[in-house]
Amino acid sequence: MGERFENALRILFSSWGSFCVRHPSLVILGSLVVVAASSGGLVYMRITTDPVELWSSPASQARQEKDYFDEHFGPFFRTAQLIITTPLIEPYVYSPYFGGSDVAVFVGILSFSISVVDKVDIGLDQKLSMPDDSYVLQYFKNLSMYLHTGAPVYFVVEDGHNYTSPEGQSAVCGGVGCNNDSLVQQVYSASLISNYTTIAFTPSSWLDDYFDWVKPQSSCCRFYNASGAFCNASVVNPSCVHCRPMTPSGKQRPEGDDFMQFLPMFLSDNPNIKCGKGGHAAYASAVDLYPKGAGVGATYFMTYHTILKESPDYIEALKMARILAANITQTMGHKVFAYSIFYVFYEQYLTIAHDTAMNLSLSLASIFLVSTVLLGFELWAAVLVTLTIAMILVNMFGVMWLWSISLNAISLVNLVMCCGISVEFCSHIVRAFSISVKPSRAERAEEALAHMGSSVFSGITLTKFGGILILALSKSQIFQVFYFRMFLAIVLLGAAHGLIFLPVLLSYIGPSVNKAKVFAANKRNAGTERERLLNY
């Protein structure tokens, strides 16, 4: 079957070559049409610099939660930070550092690479997105040295929760009479073990502050007796009366219509000397009220993460916040999710290990199937090609660990490309070995390397070095780390495995001579100079 397939390929490409020679104008015209049609896609190309669009899928959980947050609450504003340091501090300089032969050496390298696969860092250091001479590098360094709090995190209660009932209030609030496992209490308990949960402080609770604000003992909640309009605590007017009477029932938490009557006043009240509990500054965007005061929609309770410096810190913070939100959801019986500005960028790292294993496995499986077909259904030859490429991939993880290259979307794409590039280093050698009619494996491996070694070395290895070396001169640290380093490692490992390891492996366990191919080759070469050379 393998010989028939080889013969079919030979006839196919011979026919195509003859057609190209006889009709060059048609081939050129057809090529130009294909290029023009492909170039039509440029009309639909759009350039985006939005990091959310670049780094997150519209269907991801973090993206959907961000869209929900943006829809129901005000825009998220970053705070301006001015960090003043002494001139004695040395400026931050990014200094990259740089971390072979028979089968035993390659097995040793493979064993080392296997041992460090799980030690490769996950994430993308934000400092790498800057040029190596950027002043922002110093800012990031000072931020990690002097910052005493982390990013804000919002525990969002989706709309539909009943805040006007005692049960609904007790499930959320954190004061006297609230449930021990309420939302505020659970976040507070998490803050007590901040080294584990990454939650730094007790959350700011608009509900508890509203209860304090509306108390009759407080001077905060007042309205004009005649019009019913809100009367700020700083206003001196005898017609301003307290919202609730100084009675036992008036001292209780407001419920039903009482709750909704005074809540808009609370959210519009600015803090002042006489009343520091006004909710406009802290909670104006935290509560999404239904039109005409019909009810309370989505709300959030804000706290802060602990100081987060490296990618693993951000990933762990995201994981712990989601675990806490899931516990709150289960306790309340209502959907609660955690949201912070960086979640949409770091969610991909929660599944990056699984995605890497899945993508590389699919790539290797595809290589095996295609190699099986193109090598004339020589299953064992396809297995050796796939095995060698798998070794190159594992060794790439060893290089990533030695060269401080983290696993993220960029390096994952490079690893998938590594599978395709490595095929060039291996498949030509294996094909030359499989079609050789020499009697022994060693002679066939020698012939394969003699016929294809120079093509692999000069046509594949050396031609890639020019473009790779240019990347080393880039000022972008992303190009230096994820393209120069990784592509250099891919070419060196591919060349070493294809030109050194694979011929030796074939000389030991390469596929046996295909008798049909030998017979067909002898028949083709009968009476030619090739026959004399083969029998020499």
Side-chain angles (χ1 to χ4, degrees):
M1 184 176 181
E3 172 56 28
R4 290 197 299 269
F5 185 78
E6 293 275 352
N7 191 49
L9 285 179
R10 190 178 300 109
I11 294 173
L12 173 64
F13 285 103
S14 295
S15 301
W16 172 245
S18 300
F19 177 84
C20 292
V21 170
R22 292 194 304 268
H23 308 284
S25 57
L26 288 178
V27 174
I28 295 175
L29 179 61
S31 301
L32 293 176
V33 170
V34 171
V35 171
S38 302
S39 302
L42 294 173
V43 177
Y44 302 98
M45 181 180 291
R46 65 186 183 93
I47 299 176
T48 178
T49 57
D50 185 356
V52 176
E53 294 286 343
L54 294 171
W55 286 97
S56 66
S57 166
S60 67
Q61 179 182 341
R63 183 70 172 274
Q64 293 175 352
E65 290 171 351
K66 178 187 184 302
D67 293 341
Y68 186 93
F69 187 92
D70 292 343
E71 178 185 355
H72 289 82
F73 307 112
F76 182 91
F77 295 104
R78 290 182 179 271
T79 56
Q81 294 171 320
L82 177 63
I83 301 176
I84 301 176
T85 61
T86 65
L88 299 178
I89 297 179
E90 292 295 328
Y92 177 82
V93 178
Y94 175 79
S95 54
Y97 68 90
F98 293 79
S101 214
D102 53 15
V103 174
V105 172
F106 283 88
V107 171
I109 296 174
L110 177 65
S111 301
F112 166 78
S113 300
I114 292 174
S115 68
V116 300
V117 165
D118 62 336
K119 296 180 175 62
V120 175
D121 291 332
I122 293 177
L124 177 62
D125 189 349
Q126 56 186 345
K127 293 190 291 293
L128 294 179
S129 63
M130 308 295 167
D132 52 12
D133 57 353
S134 173
Y135 73 93
V136 182
L137 293 175
Q138 181 68 29
Y139 164 77
F140 281 130
K141 179 182 178 182
N142 292 331
L143 202 64
S144 62
M145 288 177 61
Y146 304 116
L147 192 65
H148 293 289
T149 188
V153 54
Y154 305 86
F155 288 88
V156 180
V157 182
E158 293 191 358
D159 53 355
H161 183 71
N162 187 5
Y163 293 93
T164 63
S165 68
E167 295 80 10
Q169 296 171 359
S170 297
V172 174
C173 64
V176 177
C178 301
N179 297 343
N180 292 330
D181 56 357
S182 68
L183 184 152
V184 174
Q185 285 291 349
Q186 289 197 52
V187 178
Y188 165 72
S189 299
S191 69
L192 299 178
I193 48 174
S194 58
N195 289 339
Y196 174 72
T197 63
T198 71
I199 300 298
F201 305 110
T202 304
S204 55
S205 171
W206 66 268
L207 189 58
D208 290 292
D209 284 349
Y210 174 52
F211 290 156
D212 291 338
W213 181 86
V214 82
K215 286 179 180 178
Q217 302 95 315
S218 168
S219 62
C220 295
C221 185
R222 303 188 306 162
F223 62 90
Y224 290 99
N225 194 27
S227 63
F230 174 63
C231 178
N232 190 276
S234 60
V235 175
V236 179
N237 192 316
S239 65
C240 292
V241 297
H242 286 282
C243 297
R244 311 197 72 205
M246 192 70 71
T247 62
S249 61
K251 296 178 181 179
Q252 301 298 317
R253 295 187 305 208
E255 303 171 10
D257 293 339
D258 255 4
F259 183 91
M260 292 307 304
Q261 179 182 355
F262 306 118
L263 181 58
M265 299 180 183
F266 167 70
L267 296 176
S268 64
D269 186 19
N270 291 312
N272 53 63
I273 296 176
K274 293 187 176 181
C275 176
K277 287 287 186 178
H280 184 258
Y283 307 117
S285 63
V287 182
D288 183 26
L289 293 177
Y290 292 148
K292 299 180 180 180
V296 179
T299 67
Y300 68 67
F301 298 79
M302 188 188 79
T303 182
Y304 290 88
H305 280 298
T306 53
I307 300 174
L308 309 173
K309 297 182 179 181
E310 306 293 339
S311 290
D313 300 332
Y314 288 95
I315 298 168
E316 187 64 21
L318 169 58
K319 290 166 61 176
M320 297 309 300
R322 285 191 171 176
I323 291 174
L324 179 56
N327 291 336
I328 297 172
T329 297
Q330 184 177 6
T331 303
M332 290 181 56
H334 188 80
K335 178 66 180 297
V336 177
F337 66 85
Y339 169 76
S340 188
I341 188 66
F342 67 87
Y343 288 178
V344 71
F345 305 111
Y346 285 88
E347 185 187 36
Q348 59 180 303
Y349 303 123
L350 299 180
T351 59
I352 192 70
H354 174 270
D355 294 341
T356 300
M358 178 65 70
N359 281 279
L360 297 183
S361 298
L362 290 174
S363 298
L364 291 174
S366 301
I367 290 172
F368 173 76
L369 292 176
V370 174
S371 298
T372 300
V373 174
L374 296 182
L375 291 175
F377 297 93
E378 292 275 2
L379 288 178
W380 186 239
V383 168
L384 294 180
V385 170
T386 307
L387 176 63
T388 306
I389 295 173
M391 289 180 61
I392 295 174
L393 280 176
V394 175
N395 288 337
M396 280 298 300
F397 281 98
V399 171
M400 290 172 66
W401 181 76
L402 288 172
W403 231 343
S404 299
I405 303 173
S406 57
L407 180 60
N408 49 54
I410 301 175
S411 52
L412 174 55
V413 171
N414 289 341
L415 289 172
V416 174
M417 292 176 60
C418 175
C419 292
I421 295 173
S422 299
V423 172
E424 297 185 70
F425 293 102
C426 303
S427 61
H428 299 295
I429 300 294
V430 175
R431 172 170 170 76
F433 180 89
S434 67
I435 65 175
S436 174
V437 295
K438 293 287 187 178
S440 67
R441 288 189 175 92
E443 290 176 309
R444 293 166 64 203
E446 180 183 2
E447 184 182 36
L449 194 57
H451 287 173
M452 296 304 302
S454 60
S455 298
V456 171
F457 181 73
S458 61
I460 300 174
T461 306
L462 295 181
T463 55
K464 288 181 171 59
F465 267 108
I468 292 173
L469 294 178
I470 293 298
L471 293 173
L473 305 177
S474 173
K475 283 192 173 184
S476 170
Q477 297 180 75
I478 284 185
F479 279 86
Q480 292 178 10
V481 174
F482 293 104
Y483 294 103
F484 169 68
R485 294 185 186 181
M486 292 196 73
F487 284 3
L488 180 63
I490 290 171
V491 172
L492 293 178
L493 289 174
H497 282 77
L499 298 176
I500 302 174
F501 171 76
L502 189 55
V504 177
L505 183 67
L506 291 171
S507 68
Y508 284 107
I509 59 172
S512 302
V513 177
N514 190 312
K515 295 181 180 180
K517 289 184 180 180
V518 172
F519 176 79
N522 291 335
K523 185 177 179 180
R524 287 195 306 270
N525 298 323
T528 65
E529 182 67 15
R530 175 69 174 168
E531 180 183 31
R532 188 184 68 80
L533 293 174
L534 288 172
N535 295 327
Y536 177 72

